[in-house]
Amino acid sequence: MSKTEITIYKIGGGIIDDAAELSKFLQLLAGTSGLKLLVHGGGKGASTMMRELGLVPQLINGRRVTDAATLDIVVMFYAGKTNKQVVAALQQLGVNALGLSGADGNVLQGTKRPVKDIDYGFVGDLTSASVNAAFLQQLLKAGITPVLCPIIHDGSGHLLNTNADTIASAVAVALAGEFDVTLHYCFEKNGVLRDINNEQSVIAEINSDSYAVLKQQGVIADGMLPKLENAFAALNSGVRKVIIGHALNIGSDLHTVLCLK
Amino acid sequence: MSKTEITIYKIGGGIIDDAAELSKFLQLLAGTSGLKLLVHGGGKGASTMMRELGLVPQLINGRRVTDAATLDIVVMFYAGKTNKQVVAALQQLGVNALGLSGADGNVLQGTKRPVKDIDYGFVGDLTSASVNAAFLQQLLKAGITPVLCPIIHDGSGHLLNTNADTIASAVAVALAGEFDVTLHYCFEKNGVLRDINNEQSVIAEINSDSYAVLKQQGVIADGMLPKLENAFAALNSGVRKVIIGHALNIGSDLHTVLCLK
């Protein structure tokens, strides 16, 4: 018997910070068929509020250092404002959405990142083993669309700020046993570009062979490299397809499809 | 066949503002047997943050006037910070808690309060018909303890600030068809007191007959009157028992039990 298909969409800060674009994306999402799950990232709102409160946001290598005061704010923003606004908007569009932090239903239990050179504070690491796949399956089978925010818990009463890309791939891998999983990363470009300055130069498909060539040619470099490494790691762990494209192109064919072979 | 018992606990702002007391309450809650559901109120944190951000909290007759900026803050506090901290703490205590705003799983869909003399802004009204009892039943049967915050939605994409006492009684009545429901209001006193200045003067039981007498004698007056009116309304709508007592006395016999007859 073939597995039921599910698409896991991940949206980042750029689209969350743009109310009009977020609204368009959610309409497109509501129009897609089949089971779905949404993971959303943070956005700039938390940093803006921190500054208004006299706190100084700290980033190291693009990652937020999360002390106790920062954690309070990001939990409020990500699990509170953003998550509930997205859920209410989806409900209006007829999608029975349910917002979740990792603590809710123990859906994502990870560990606080160990301090090595840098102390990132209340930041969580997780793997696909951290995902309560049985509970997500129950929700999906009940017709619910889970909406995950980038806050997890450690099982000892602490909330942890976590990267949304990592959550999306961990959830995709965890659900791959039961479902035929497509992991759809939405970002601000149309896909993986052959020429970074040309939005029309989207590479339609990359498989493991052509990926090796593109890396060698230097077409894939910089910020795109870790994204694709993570994508191929997910594919090697049972995810059928990874899509990278613009949030407002979901449902269309303008994007890059990554697959094995 | 007798119905399964469930207790719906409601805690208010006082206990939420006191981390040590909240922690003790959650430990007691985790120690109670049987199905349970928790409804929590707001607390002073949202007003404190508003002032820090240069906003002025407005209350009329003890009820918050909720403009758009205020709504953002209360959603962040109630659905974000408070709700997720409570859920994470319960998970640590072995209770599989799931935090919910009314938008999540469409669990509480109400209406924006009509403007009469006063415009309360984004404030929601609801009845037991607003409660998605089937979804709550599904969660409870899956071993989950729902934790509801005082934010509902209107089905048209708007979140609404709502009184937690009202949510607790609406949920209690909605679940009374399927369950044998006890509605347990926690507050800062040991129960309904015969002498307001004597915490030891708790009236152990009040039924509809003795309630009429106590009202006539003036023993029940002021703030306690609407509380008890709501309690008897819930009893008349199928709730088996209403308990009023101190949050740190749950599980003990020190409280007031309200029942019909």
Side-chain angles (χ1 to χ4, degrees), chain A residues 72 81 84 91 97 99 103-105, chain B residues 72 81 84 91 97 99 103-105:
Chain A
D72 267 5
K81 184 176 170 175
K84 297 317 163 202
Q91 289 286 351
D104 298 299
Chain B
D72 267 4
K81 186 176 168 173
K84 297 317 162 200
Q91 288 287 350
D104 297 299

Side-chain angles (χ1 to χ4, degrees), chain A residues 49 52-53 72 76-77 81 84 87-88 91-92 96-101 103-106 135 138 142 144 155-157, chain B residues 49 52-53 72 76 81 84 87-88 91-92 96-101 103-106 135 138 142 144 155-157:
Chain A
M49 174 168 271
E52 285 173 2
L53 291 168
D72 267 5
M76 285 193 272
F77 249 89
K81 184 176 170 175
K84 297 317 163 202
V87 168
Q91 289 286 351
Q92 179 187 19
N96 192 4
L98 174 73
L100 296 166
S101 76
D104 298 299
N106 190 29
F135 179 53
Q138 249 181 310
I144 285 170
S156 304
Chain B
M49 174 169 270
E52 286 173 0
L53 291 168
D72 267 4
M76 285 193 273
K81 186 176 168 173
K84 297 317 162 200
V87 168
Q91 288 287 350
Q92 180 187 18
N96 193 5
L98 175 73
L100 296 166
S101 76
D104 297 299
N106 191 29
F135 179 52
Q138 251 182 310
I144 286 169
S156 303

